Amino acid sequence: QVQLVESGGGLVQAGGSLTLSCAASGIIFGINVMGWYRQVPGKQRELVAAVTSSGRVQYADFVKGRFIISRDNAKKMVSLQMNSLQPEDTAVYYCNFHRDRDDSWGQGTQVTVSS
């Protein structure tokens, strides 16, 4: 089991930047993926970005060129640098850790982008 705690959410103006961080506790080993998802009321939770234990990165089309995901295995953290934020980026952002026998979620952190 892996426990995840997100931080860094808040309110920013359109065009601004914000960095989210996720701290993991527990043993992280083998092939795994850490990523960020987001969800707004009435919509499904959607993948924002993910990075594998080998460094493979995947971004959703709507954030390519704006967001950067990174992970620090020694510190057991994954971060999401969000730039050029727009009101449609407003959502609750969740950190995720996945491997064959473990799928863990953080509690979520609210990101609100004003016009």
Side-chain angles (χ1 to χ4, degrees), residues 6 30 41 56 76 109:
E6 304 102 332
R56 168 67 173 163
K76 297 196 292 185
T109 184

Side-chain angles (χ1 to χ4, degrees), residues 62-99:
F62 55 82
V63 302
K64 285 183 177 179
R66 298 192 297 130
F67 293 6
I68 301 173
I69 189 170
S70 61
R71 65 185 287 173
D72 186 327
N73 292 329
K75 297 181 179 179
K76 297 196 292 185
M77 296 184 67
V78 61
S79 298
L80 183 69
Q81 182 178 350
M82 304 182 292
N83 302 307
S84 301
L85 285 163
Q86 300 299 313
E88 53 264 39
D89 295 316
T90 296
V92 177
Y93 284 70
Y94 297 89
C95 181
N96 172 257
F97 174 85
H98 178 77
R99 59 188 174 194

Side-chain angles (χ1 to χ4, degrees), residues 10-74:
L11 191 155
V12 297
Q13 293 184 331
S17 299
L18 199 63
T19 298
L20 306 181
S21 296
C22 174
S25 62
I27 301 174
I28 298 176
F29 66 92
I31 300 173
N32 62 78
V33 182
M34 297 190 73
W36 289 92
Y37 289 70
R38 70 186 189 187
Q39 187 170 26
V40 299
K43 296 186 65 178
Q44 292 183 299
R45 189 171 298 183
E46 61 184 353
L47 175 69
V48 177
V51 55
T52 71
S53 50
S54 63
R56 168 67 173 163
V57 176
Q58 179 70 49
Y59 293 101
D61 288 342
F62 55 82
V63 302
K64 285 183 177 179
R66 298 192 297 130
F67 293 6
I68 301 173
I69 189 170
S70 61
R71 65 185 287 173
D72 186 327
N73 292 329

